[in-house]
Amino acid sequence: MDALSALGKLLPVVLAFGTGILFARRKLLPTEAAGYFTDFAFLFAIPCYLFGKIFLSDLGHLFNVRAISAYAASAALCVVLIGLSAGGSAKVRALRVMAAVQVNTAYFAVPVFIMLFGDAAPIFPILLLQVCLLSTVILTTLEFGGPGSTPRKLGRAIWASLNTPVVLACNLAIVLNLLAVPIPGPVLSALSFVGDAAAPVALFALGLYLGSAGLSIRGTTRTELALITFKCVAFPLITLVISHYLFNVTGDWLKYLVLIAAMPSPQNLFVFAHRYNTDVDLAASIVVKSSLLALLLLPAWVQWAS
């Protein structure tokens, strides 16, 4: 896929994302409306999409052990690099690791993959790896980095990260797929109908949220610049090198891994920062700016990975 083809496929992404920003800037919708669109996408549309796709998928092909191992090794190396180079408390280091290594799967990667490849199922194994491992480590660090931490409180935090509609829908689809449980065609068609709204609604909601958050390039600090550059440039490059040269990942899976790594920092970065009262302004700025930079760099990553 050359750059021109990539740009053509990304046009719907730009349209939905840009319209959200435009609506926010023109105040055509109130700021809180972003939350309603986000809830629809995260709680309903995306789970419907992923459930149907994974249920009908060949799980042996979807769970490519070599590819998943390559991504895990790349992420682990980046976690170590950021963890060692970042200063501050354990909570500060945890959030900076999250900013530089964790990716926005539900609101950015899923719609982008749907537009580029017509299928976002390859994201699922990485999503599980991210939620079940990286998020758990980050939450553990944040919980025990503050006062009054208890095992029960930690358990609730971890359970909350795993007990999300996206993860539950994916796991249910895997179980039913493995057990060969028949699902009526009309049910799958209904899930597909709702799931088709996932990509445009998620991107519109993200644009609406980011457009209302505001953006100041001039006020970007060195820390922000370093983390955003690492997330959008260094992490996908490291993933490309490790996946291709150490794990011999080629073809579509190499392209998938590089593009997933090139996704922006997750919206949960701001949620976690606000909840644990750590670097809130930094987190909000990184979510906004990494999203815009990731969108600008996507055509180049698509062409290079191809």
Side-chain angles (χ1 to χ4, degrees):
M1 185 185 301
D2 58 26
L4 189 59
S5 299
L7 284 171
K9 286 183 173 291
L10 286 171
L11 184 58
V13 176
V14 176
L15 179 62
F17 184 76
T19 301
I21 293 177
L22 179 64
F23 271 50
R25 293 295 190 184
R26 296 286 185 180
K27 300 188 183 303
L28 298 177
L29 286 174
T31 301
E32 59 270 18
Y36 303 137
F37 287 104
T38 298
D39 286 345
F40 172 79
F42 183 72
L43 299 177
F44 190 42
I46 292 174
C48 286
Y49 173 84
L50 289 176
F51 178 89
K53 289 294 182 181
I54 293 168
F55 177 76
L56 296 172
S57 293
D58 177 359
L59 295 182
H61 174 71
L62 188 60
F63 283 87
N64 186 308
V65 175
R66 178 182 295 178
I68 296 170
S69 300
Y71 189 90
S74 305
L77 174 61
C78 291
V79 167
V80 172
L81 291 175
I82 296 297
L84 291 176
S85 61
S89 65
K91 294 202 303 184
V92 168
R93 290 172 185 263
L95 284 173
R96 293 185 183 183
V97 165
M98 187 177 185
V101 182
Q102 198 157 337
V103 302
N104 190 334
T105 51
Y107 301 111
F108 207 100
V110 167
V112 165
F113 267 60
I114 292 173
M115 296 302 177
L116 286 175
F117 311 115
D119 187 7
I123 295 172
F124 168 67
I126 306 303
L127 184 152
L128 270 190
L129 178 71
Q130 178 170 277
V131 171
C132 297
L133 186 59
L134 184 56
S135 291
T136 301
V137 171
I138 290 170
L139 277 169
T140 301
T141 305
L142 290 171
E143 283 291 342
F144 282 95
S149 299
T150 64
R152 180 178 296 181
K153 185 178 178 183
L154 175 63
R156 287 199 302 266
I158 295 174
W159 174 245
S161 70
L162 300 178
N163 189 32
T164 63
V166 171
V167 175
L168 290 176
C170 292
N171 287 333
L172 179 61
I174 285 181
V175 172
L176 297 182
N177 183 308
L178 291 174
L179 295 177
V181 176
I183 295 181
V187 173
L188 291 175
S189 296
L191 292 172
S192 176
F193 175 77
V194 175
D196 286 342
V201 172
L203 285 167
F204 178 80
L206 184 60
L208 194 61
Y209 167 77
L210 298 181
S212 61
L215 181 67
S216 175
I217 301 297
R218 183 173 296 178
T220 302
T221 65
R222 290 184 178 180
T223 300
E224 287 177 48
L225 184 60
L227 290 172
I228 292 169
T229 302
F230 191 95
K231 177 68 211 66
C232 296
V233 180
F235 185 27
L237 274 177
I238 291 171
T239 301
L240 176 64
V241 171
I242 289 179
S243 300
H244 184 61
Y245 293 104
L246 294 185
F247 287 83
N248 197 30
V249 178
T250 58
D252 287 341
W253 267 108
L254 179 62
K255 179 164 52 181
Y256 297 153
L257 295 183
V258 173
L259 288 176
I260 291 172
M263 295 295 112
S265 303
Q267 281 181 281
N268 277 348
L269 173 66
F270 173 74
V271 175
F272 285 7
H274 190 271
R275 177 178 177 181
Y276 294 97
N277 193 29
T278 304
D279 282 342
V280 179
D281 292 338
L282 177 71
S285 180
I286 288 175
V287 170
V288 174
K289 294 172 184 176
S290 67
S291 297
L292 295 178
L293 181 60
L295 188 62
L296 292 174
L297 292 178
L298 265 179
W301 285 121
V302 170
Q303 184 181 23
W304 195 1
S306 300

